[in-house]
Amino acid sequence: MTGPAIHLSGGLEGAEATLLNGFDITLPASRWSVLLGPSGVGKTSLLRLIASLPCAARFEGRIEAQDQAPLPPRVAMMAQDDQLLPWASAIENVVIATRLRGERPDPDRACALLVEVGLGAEMARKPAELSAGQRQRVALARTLYEDRPVVLLDEPFSALDVLTRHKMQDLAARLLKGRTVVLITHDPAEALRLADHAWIVERQGVTPCTLPATRPPRRIDAPETLTAQADLLDRMGLASPNKAA
């Protein structure tokens, strides 16, 4: 399955101030695009607008797929919070969107995805019986289950320990191959590991990042990745201790 390129242009206004001045970017087709930047500049609003969901910011501009086909039916979105139904089991949460659309769920596929995210033994458990990291993995399985050509991920690995995070990054990179993926993260290392293209989002606008020539998912300890990470931290105002000294 291949996803379309997505063109975004315009500006975002908050209730009291401008969130994001004029921007004009194209998220390439069938690639991972990563948005980095401080909180409160409209990154989540951009994802919600791509998905045609309500957001608090006022948007003036255009968001469209470059193939001109409607975007919303082709989008799956994983929000910052897991948004699991508290009365439903893990596997019921994975297939909930299918049921809401009046379609027949595929329990075998849902089970396989829960096994993939390391929750094969927790399928019957409800959210209150799961840790924050486990709930986030159920939400990831639910997003993967939707099997959409455009996938929007808002801090999808933030609640995971380092080892599990790397495993889930590898899983997402493998299962979402060919999709147009837009990832929001505050972690430069995660951005450099997964991004085909990346941008820093600030109130002044959206600027591209320089990435290593190697294809993602990259080794985070590779010299070119570490060099790119130092440069990215510097651009984000987070200088290394040696530089700060």
Side-chain angles (χ1 to χ4, degrees):
M1 182 181 295
T2 58
I6 302 171
H7 181 242
L8 304 89
S9 62
L12 284 174
E13 294 287 336
E16 299 180 357
T18 297
L19 295 179
L20 183 58
N21 274 328
F23 58 89
D24 192 325
I25 60 173
T26 296
L27 311 176
S30 304
R31 293 289 184 266
W32 281 64
S33 294
V34 176
L35 304 180
L36 289 144
S39 299
V41 295
K43 299 185 303 297
T44 294
S45 292
L46 287 177
L47 286 198
R48 294 184 65 84
L49 288 164
I50 292 171
S52 292
L53 295 173
C55 68
R58 187 175 76 255
F59 173 65
E60 293 185 5
R62 297 174 63 190
I63 295 178
E64 60 186 1
Q66 288 201 326
D67 62 6
Q68 302 301 311
L71 269 171
R74 297 185 283 174
V75 170
M77 180 171 174
M78 180 176 171
Q80 288 183 40
D81 53 342
D82 56 67
Q83 297 184 343
L84 301 183
L85 299 178
W87 57 85
S89 67
I91 192 168
E92 289 169 338
N93 269 290
V94 169
V95 302
I96 185 62
T98 302
R99 291 189 180 279
L100 290 174
R101 290 192 296 268
E103 301 168 0
R104 178 174 295 181
D106 183 345
D108 291 340
R109 185 162 170 270
C111 287
L113 284 169
L114 284 171
V115 170
E116 289 263 34
V117 300
L119 297 176
E122 282 77 31
M123 294 185 192
R125 293 188 177 183
K126 295 181 179 178
E129 302 173 281
L130 302 173
S131 69
Q134 288 173 326
R135 292 195 299 272
Q136 194 168 53
R137 282 184 278 160
V138 173
L140 177 61
R142 180 181 58 197
T143 305
L144 295 171
Y145 179 87
E146 285 296 287
D147 196 26
R148 293 290 191 261
V150 177
V151 180
L152 312 177
L153 303 173
D154 196 350
E155 295 282 349
F157 312 113
S158 58
L160 307 179
D161 63 82
V162 173
L163 181 59
T164 304
R165 181 180 303 180
H166 277 236
K167 289 180 178 178
M168 294 303 102
Q169 289 171 350
D170 288 342
L171 174 67
R174 174 168 58 86
L175 294 184
L176 295 176
K177 186 176 179 64
R179 271 68 167 178
T180 298
V181 180
V182 188
L183 167 68
I184 289 177
T185 180
H186 291 95
D187 182 358
E190 183 167 270
L192 288 165
R193 187 156 198 268
L194 293 173
D196 292 294
H197 304 271
W199 291 265
I200 295 177
V201 181
E202 301 172 293
R203 294 192 191 281
Q204 298 83 359
V206 181
T207 54
C209 303
T210 300
L211 301 175
T214 51
R215 291 297 305 274
R218 300 179 181 91
R219 286 183 58 89
I220 201 60
D221 58 349
E224 62 270 23
T225 307
L226 292 172
T227 298
Q229 182 174 328
D231 291 342
L232 188 51
L233 287 168
D234 188 44
R235 282 189 61 188
M236 296 175 70
L238 300 171
S240 67
N242 290 338
K243 204 163 187 178

